[in-house]
Amino acid sequence: MPLRPPTKAIFDELGDELFLDLTNEELESFVELANEKRDAYETVMRYEPTPRLGGAERRERSGGTRVPPEENPHNAWVSACYVGGDDGGDLGDWEIAIKDNVCVAGVEMTCGSQVVAGYVPNRDATIVTRLLEAGADIVGKTNMDDMAMTSTGHSAFGPITNPHDEAYLAGGSSGGSAVAVARGEVDAAIGSDQGGSVRVPAAFCGIVGHKPTYGLVPYTGCIGIEHAIDHPGPMGPDVETVARTLTVIAGSNERDLRSHAPVPTERYEDALDGDVSDLTIGVLEEGFDIDGANEAVLETVRDSIDDLEAAGATIEDVSVPMHSDAKDIHDVCTSEGLLDAMLGEGLGHGWKAWYSRSWIESFGKARRAQSNDLPARLKLLLLMGAYTNSEYHSRYYAQGMNLVVELTERYDSVLETVDLLAMPTAVTKPPEHDPDRDQYDRLHESSLIHNATPFNRTGHPGVSVPAGSVDGLPTGLMLVGQRFDDATVLNAASVLESG
């Protein structure tokens, strides 16, 4: 569509929104100058994008079909599909589920939301391409919290219930991926983690979920919340499965320049030697001292830490007082960070990477037409971000981002004295499934992700590994390591499986 000539009336209205008091003479001048610049906009649209569909031309593909309720008892799936992987490869014959905010070409992507339901990507996400090239087959898209905004398991298509007890929820936002793995419906799944969204449902569903080091796994072709915190991550029934999946999806990406290339990678499954005798694990005091914590959950997690000690690890108590305020710092930063992403039609501006034009155009139209259907938490964050930006000139955002730097340094300082940090993935049992609670009431639940969110901000790798159960419901131990030392994190987690 050619760029329509801007008019004085349009520039006058936009000027008011930008706090510009434009004179009539200025408006006439700017309209004239803007029309002279229209050629530049036509120039960039003359180029045809290079097709990059992850080998679509050589692979068997079937478009997605919605999974009927009778085949979807926990509401874990949005759609079933089939994309055949290459012959051979490290993940040959594996069946993998993809969270429904990760692009699979030709398959509807809903982000768990009615707002963007019906959008069909025209290319694969980078991690999908890598999985297919490793021989894995993509068999479906998994349900998730509406626009990845909450951590309980509430999609616009209904609640995602816990596979161990339907009276409870699966957690989120990657709840569908966690359920599909827990039920043995797939060999592994891909989730995304912006504040615990891989690790928390992994803990609640009794599986392994890994948030990689920030930048280790490219986010190109995934829809997130804010570029500073978005992480794709593998989910599986055991650590080896997760490690093998990470080996395939990790690595530099020429179309995502957020990180210095090349990022260091290794075959993470080769590091699973079960030897932790030379590791010192710091038990983070503030990771247990959280309002609303379930004492039985805390005790179960401590038992798992004792198992690591029995396996030869040295255990020390450590303290990072700022950890107690980390979720507040995260929330303040997220409000204006999300505002920028939304104004950038779901992707934001200014980051050096490949932008999905089809998503931008589709989401841009959808949010203008159906913004009232956005989830309550997203509306709240947008309002708070707009308010603090307009009334306080982003001072809170700037202060929050500065504190992220300081928080990172404090974790790094402790990780110079210990190899890993240990704490509960979540300090509560899974949330109860109460159909009578509305989404506004559920926003008061904040303790679910208190331990998870800090490491989205700082970029440290973290894995949630099963740590026993409380009242028949799984709990998770989270281990956190130095950036790009994902191998040590995963190896320590693997020891708990063999104990």
Side-chain angles (χ1 to χ4, degrees):
M1 177 188 297
L3 185 72
R4 292 188 295 270
T7 64
K8 282 175 61 177
I10 289 174
F11 269 13
D12 193 25
E13 181 179 346
L14 292 173
D16 289 341
E17 294 177 6
L18 295 169
F19 308 103
L20 299 174
D21 186 13
L22 300 173
T23 65
N24 187 62
E25 290 75 13
E26 284 178 310
L27 286 169
E28 290 179 350
S29 178
F30 289 145
V31 166
E32 180 182 353
L33 290 166
N35 280 294
E36 291 176 6
K37 291 184 176 293
R38 287 173 60 209
D39 285 347
Y41 291 86
E42 297 303 317
T43 296
V44 299
M45 296 304 288
R46 280 204 302 267
Y47 286 85
E48 290 296 325
T50 303
R52 290 178 180 264
L53 300 182
E57 68 286 349
R58 68 175 188 272
R59 293 197 177 95
E60 179 184 353
R61 286 180 181 253
S62 67
T65 56
R66 291 290 182 93
V67 179
E70 62 271 17
E71 299 176 14
N72 198 13
H74 294 278
N75 200 26
W77 296 91
V78 175
S79 59
C81 67
Y82 179 81
V83 185
D86 294 351
D87 292 336
D90 287 347
L91 305 185
D93 297 324
W94 281 29
E95 293 187 340
I96 292 185
I98 305 294
K99 184 177 178 180
D100 206 27
N101 64 341
V102 179
C103 292
V104 176
V107 181
E108 180 189 22
M109 185 175 74
T110 69
C111 296
S113 171
Q114 295 286 5
V115 174
V116 295
Y119 167 69
V120 178
N122 59 5
R123 61 159 286 168
D124 291 333
T126 299
I127 55 175
V128 171
T129 299
R130 291 178 176 178
L131 291 167
L132 293 168
E133 289 175 345
D137 298 332
I138 307 302
V139 297
K141 303 297 293 295
T142 52
N143 206 356
M144 56 180 283
D145 288 54
D146 195 339
M147 296 299 291
M149 278 291 110
T150 48
S151 54
T152 55
H154 279 95
S155 164
F157 309 115
I160 306 166
T161 57
N162 196 290
H164 297 270
D165 188 337
E166 290 189 352
Y168 294 84
L169 296 169
S173 61
S174 306
S177 291
V179 173
V181 169
R183 286 174 51 84
E185 296 173 329
V186 290
D187 294 291
I190 294 296
S192 65
D193 196 313
Q194 291 86 21
S197 290
V198 162
R199 292 158 291 162
V200 169
F204 288 160
C205 293
I207 67 166
V208 178
H210 183 60
K211 182 201 77 66
T213 299
Y214 180 79
L216 178 63
V217 178
Y219 209 74
T220 307
C222 308
I223 306 303
I225 293 176
E226 181 190 352
H227 300 302
I229 58 174
D230 294 332
H231 301 67
M235 307 172 77
D238 51 60
V239 175
E240 182 180 358
T241 298
V242 165
R244 289 179 64 184
T245 306
L246 180 62
T247 294
V248 166
I249 63 176
S252 304
N253 172 24
E254 74 279 6
R255 297 206 156 207
D256 184 349
L257 305 181
R258 297 184 300 176
S259 305
H260 295 294
V263 297
T265 63
E266 57 186 290
R267 293 194 69 89
Y268 297 97
E269 64 272 27
D270 291 347
L272 307 181
D273 60 15
D275 184 5
V276 293
S277 59
D278 60 345
L279 293 185
T280 300
I281 298 175
V283 180
L284 186 64
E285 174 185 332
E286 291 79 12
F288 289 79
D289 186 16
I290 297 173
D291 288 343
N294 182 302
E295 289 299 325
V297 169
L298 301 185
E299 187 61 31
T300 302
V301 171
R302 288 192 184 277
D303 288 344
S304 287
I305 296 171
D306 290 342
D307 291 340
L308 287 170
E309 184 174 30
T314 300
I315 306 299
E316 294 182 3
D317 291 331
V318 297
S319 176
V320 180
M322 200 174 183
H323 181 85
S324 298
D325 295 322
K327 184 179 179 299
D328 288 342
I329 295 169
H330 172 78
D331 286 349
V332 167
C333 295
T334 300
S335 59
E336 289 196 41
L338 176 64
L339 177 68
D340 176 73
M342 289 290 289
L343 294 179
E345 309 307 354
L347 289 180
H349 300 107
W351 55 294
K352 297 179 180 180
W354 181 88
Y355 289 68
S356 171
R357 264 186 55 199
S358 70
W359 166 260
I360 285 174
E361 292 173 2
S362 179
F363 181 75
K365 294 175 182 176
R367 80 173 180 90
R368 286 163 175 78
Q370 293 180 252
S371 57
N372 283 338
D373 293 328
L374 293 170
R377 185 167 186 266
L378 179 51
K379 292 178 182 178
L380 174 63
L381 288 171
L382 289 174
L383 288 170
M384 286 300 299
Y387 176 68
T388 55
N389 173 268
S390 175
E391 299 297 320
Y392 297 96
H393 324 305
S394 292
R395 72 173 70 164
Y396 293 101
Y397 176 78
Q399 175 73 351
M401 292 299 285
N402 290 343
L403 289 176
V404 169
V405 175
E406 187 170 340
L407 179 66
T408 304
E409 292 172 348
R410 295 192 185 191
Y411 290 131
D412 285 343
S413 179
V414 173
L415 286 167
E416 290 177 0
T417 64
V418 299
D419 299 291
L420 298 171
L421 300 176
M423 68 204 78
T425 308
V427 297
T428 67
K429 297 193 302 183
E432 294 184 13
H433 172 31
D434 182 355
D436 294 329
R437 292 186 69 189
D438 64 24
Q439 60 178 324
Y440 301 95
D441 184 33
R442 291 195 298 268
L443 287 179
H444 294 288
E445 291 180 311
S446 62
S447 59
L448 297 181
I449 56 174
H450 200 293
N451 279 338
T453 54
F455 304 106
N456 290 88
R457 286 289 162 190
T458 65
H460 294 87
V463 65
S464 178
V465 62
S469 61
V470 172
D471 299 328
L473 294 164
T475 62
L477 166 68
M478 184 168 64
L479 297 171
V480 175
Q482 296 181 2
R483 280 161 291 177
F484 295 105
D485 193 14
D486 297 63
T488 298
V489 172
L490 292 169
N491 183 47
S494 71
V495 173
L496 293 174
E497 296 179 323
S498 60

